[in-house]
Amino acid sequence: MSANDAAVISFWCKIAPTNRRPYGFDWEDWGRQDALEVLELAQQRFHTDPQRTYLTGHSMGGHGVWILGATFPDHFAAIGPSAGWISWATYGGRGTPQAQTGPVQEILQRALASSDTLALMRNYAQLGVYILHGAADDNVSVAQARTMNQNLTSFHRDFVFHEQPGAGHWWNISDEPGAACVDWPPMFDFFARHAIAGNSSIRQVDFITANPGVSAWSHWVGIEAQIHPLKPSSVSMRYDPGHRRFTGTTENVARLSLRLPDVPPGKPMVVELDGQKLDEIAWPAGAAQIWLVRILEQWALSTPPPASQKGPQRNGPFKEAFRSRVILVYGTHGSPEENAWAFAKALYDAEQFWYRGNGALSLIPDDQFQAAAEPDRDVILYGNAQSNSAWSRLLANSPVQVGKGFIRVGQREERGEDLACLFLRPRPGSDRACVGVITGTGIAGMKLTDRLTYFTSGVAYPDYILLGPEVLVQGVPGIRAAGFFGIDWSVESGEAAWR
């Protein structure tokens, strides 16, 4: 473990994951997933008290603390970022991103929503925060910590800001083992005074998520679907057990879930949402969860939603197709040049993920792919409907179709043999797996996808993106279309922007 990248999930014992490779994914994307997996394994192996789990890290690990704490606030009693940068938008003196002025740009910006720490920062109110930074840090400017201190001051009541005078990025002022910038006694004393309250004693939950597929739950409230994909969604909910009443407000929430396993059945529950009082709800006997859906501005009790809809189990955007035991399937039915590209691109992606992410992705030709086998593995297809024989088995009903010389998205069509497209779809036969597609209308379009760096931190793509060769000169203005599918994974119920 390199000291400057260290991240610690701590209680009595310290668990120190290093993300993936020297830089990994900066605790975002797959790194974010790794952190939760390590935490779960550690709790199972060492039988730690889940109510006394703390998160701290230095430098890139400090950024991990900021982003993980904002994304999964109910997992930790307190967090302690040391020399941590806030986000890609603020790191390196780039400042806050300018407001997006065009519809395509706005869709692209929303694809990055899960990395927008400042948009999620009110989740910190659920936990204690100890900010530690050297005043003379020449690697991560102390302005990062000062910005968070200023923001937290406006709403937080349980945080400490300590700026060590004269200290740089890596510093120590103690003769005890370790380095003070990571083993700072006042921070661990602060941790010791904090614990996560059990669900039965939590009466108020205030929670924001950018993507229910990344983070849907805080304690007993779940935001499972959004009205506008990847715009911030929030809920403020109070539970009064004496009166068996839930009262709250939401923003950009299409489906909400309440999960209280200790609710006794019998007397009906009262639910008031966004000023609307629902009919009294008989909490199902033996059930731990109920669902509420918003239809035409009105809330109603719902049956459990089908897994075929967007939700915590599968929501996009594109990079989420690389989440679960990925199989890369390259086409062998195109022209010799197209087949060579498909194999080379799949191999390059597998090697790049190994290099950046220390992970192995399976690589097979389309004719060897068995659609019914291992249905919960994510699949990435290289090629189009003519060049990849797995297309008809996985994407026959997709509203996005790509073939020789055309791309069709719903009722819209673009023609030419130099067009490129990325998109993802739910995998048929699975409740959670996805099919990611890296495709083009001809060899020129296929090679254009080589410029799309989806394994890079701070880069994101929406559910689908269509571009032509002009993007190489024009940048974002050269993108033909970008969009999100709706809750039912259709184009019509989603949101899109066309050039």
Side-chain angles (χ1 to χ4, degrees):
M1 179 177 66
S2 59
N4 66 324
D5 290 342
V8 178
I9 298 173
S10 173
F11 171 65
W12 300 128
C13 63
K14 294 182 180 179
I15 310 303
T18 59
N19 208 348
R20 291 172 174 256
R21 300 290 188 188
Y23 298 99
F25 303 109
D26 298 284
W27 298 107
E28 300 191 24
D29 300 319
W30 302 275
R32 175 183 61 216
Q33 204 173 330
D34 289 346
L36 293 190
E37 290 174 357
V38 169
L39 173 58
E40 183 178 0
L41 289 170
Q43 289 175 331
Q44 292 173 356
R45 178 175 297 183
F46 300 109
H47 307 291
T48 62
D49 182 351
Q51 292 180 276
R52 292 188 174 275
T53 301
Y54 311 107
L55 178 68
T56 184
H58 177 264
S59 192
M60 184 181 76
H63 168 64
V65 173
W66 282 129
I67 193 68
L68 290 168
T71 307
F72 310 107
D74 62 343
H75 284 56
F76 309 104
I79 62 173
S82 174
W85 43 277
I86 302 168
S87 69
W88 286 106
T90 65
Y91 188 43
R94 285 184 287 171
T96 304
Q98 297 297 312
Q100 300 303 305
T101 57
V104 171
Q105 292 93 326
E106 195 265 343
I107 291 285
L108 295 178
Q109 192 66 29
R110 281 159 63 179
L112 279 166
S114 296
S115 297
D116 191 349
T117 316
L118 293 176
L120 304 173
M121 68 179 178
R122 286 197 168 267
N123 284 340
Y124 298 133
Q126 302 183 36
L127 37 76
V129 179
Y130 195 107
I131 308 171
L132 182 64
H133 215 110
D137 193 327
D138 61 353
N139 192 309
V140 178
S141 170
V142 70
Q144 298 287 296
R146 291 172 181 172
T147 296
M148 293 306 285
N149 175 50
Q150 182 178 3
N151 283 315
L152 290 178
T153 298
S154 66
F155 68 92
H156 208 292
R157 299 296 176 266
D158 184 19
F159 78 96
V160 172
F161 172 58
H162 179 78
E163 184 178 310
Q164 184 64 23
H169 190 59
W170 185 257
W171 52 274
N172 188 33
I173 59 172
S174 172
D175 59 0
E176 295 182 4
C181 62
V182 290
D183 295 307
W184 184 242
M187 181 170 66
F188 284 88
D189 290 344
F190 178 83
F191 287 171
R193 297 192 293 271
H194 290 77
I196 304 172
N199 278 351
S200 59
S201 60
I202 293 176
R203 297 290 176 263
Q204 177 75 32
V205 174
D206 295 284
F207 175 59
I208 302 173
T209 185
N211 181 350
V214 172
S215 176
W217 284 89
S218 179
H219 300 291
W220 40 261
V221 176
I223 297 173
E224 295 200 355
Q226 300 172 295
I227 299 171
H228 302 289
L230 272 64
K231 283 189 174 182
S233 298
S234 63
V235 59
S236 177
M237 182 73 71
R238 181 163 186 81
Y239 172 49
D240 183 350
H243 292 89
R244 299 177 63 86
R245 179 173 61 210
F246 291 95
T247 307
T249 58
T250 68
E251 185 173 347
N252 193 36
V253 178
R255 185 170 72 240
L256 191 72
S257 186
L258 303 175
R259 184 168 61 191
L260 279 173
D262 57 347
V263 173
K267 188 178 177 182
M269 300 291 295
V270 176
V271 177
E272 296 182 22
L273 267 181
D274 299 322
Q276 176 194 347
K277 184 174 181 180
L278 281 70
D279 294 335
E280 291 188 333
I281 297 172
W283 196 280
Q289 189 170 352
I290 63 170
W291 286 267
L292 301 163
V293 296
R294 190 179 187 123
I295 303 173
L296 299 177
E297 302 301 321
Q298 294 293 308
W299 286 99
L301 184 66
S302 171
T303 56
S308 58
Q309 293 186 356
K310 280 189 171 184
Q313 79 286 351
R314 180 173 53 192
N315 197 67
F318 174 77
K319 287 170 74 170
E320 293 296 302
F322 290 88
R323 195 157 79 166
S324 179
R325 299 167 55 235
V326 182
I327 308 172
L328 309 181
V329 181
Y330 58 91
T332 62
H333 292 265
S335 69
E337 197 174 8
E338 289 173 340
N339 294 342
W341 167 84
F343 174 71
K345 175 62 171 163
L347 181 62
Y348 175 75
D349 281 355
E351 291 180 341
Q352 187 176 197
F353 196 83
W354 172 81
Y355 176 78
R356 285 182 171 272
N358 195 27
L361 306 182
S362 302
L363 182 71
I364 61 173
D366 51 359
D367 288 341
Q368 293 183 19
F369 174 69
Q370 301 295 322
E374 301 181 288
D376 289 328
R377 295 184 70 173
D378 289 332
V379 178
I380 308 298
L381 293 191
Y382 297 84
N384 58 36
Q386 280 77 50
S387 68
N388 193 311
S389 64
W391 189 288
S392 60
R393 288 170 276 167
L394 293 172
L395 298 166
N397 297 319
S398 169
V400 179
Q401 291 293 326
V402 183
K404 188 70 172 177
F406 76 92
I407 294 179
R408 188 179 304 114
V409 181
Q411 301 301 312
R412 299 284 296 265
E413 184 173 286
E414 294 278 320
R415 302 198 67 86
E417 296 191 5
D418 53 2
L419 305 178
C421 185
L422 303 181
F423 68 96
L424 90 162
R425 297 295 299 164
R427 179 175 174 179
S430 174
D431 288 343
R432 63 176 186 268
C434 289
V435 179
V437 186
I438 300 164
T439 182
T441 55
I443 188 59
M446 293 173 182
K447 288 184 175 181
L448 185 56
T449 66
D450 297 346
R451 300 298 186 97
L452 303 177
T453 56
Y454 33 79
F455 293 135
T456 302
S457 304
V459 174
Y461 302 95
D463 291 354
Y464 59 91
I465 184 170
L466 164 61
L467 55 154
E470 59 271 19
V471 77
L472 298 174
V473 176
Q474 301 175 14
V476 171
I479 295 174
R480 305 284 184 94
F484 299 101
F485 299 113
I487 295 174
D488 61 356
W489 289 96
S490 73
V491 170
E492 293 77 12
S493 65
E495 297 183 26
W498 288 77
R499 187 180 65 170

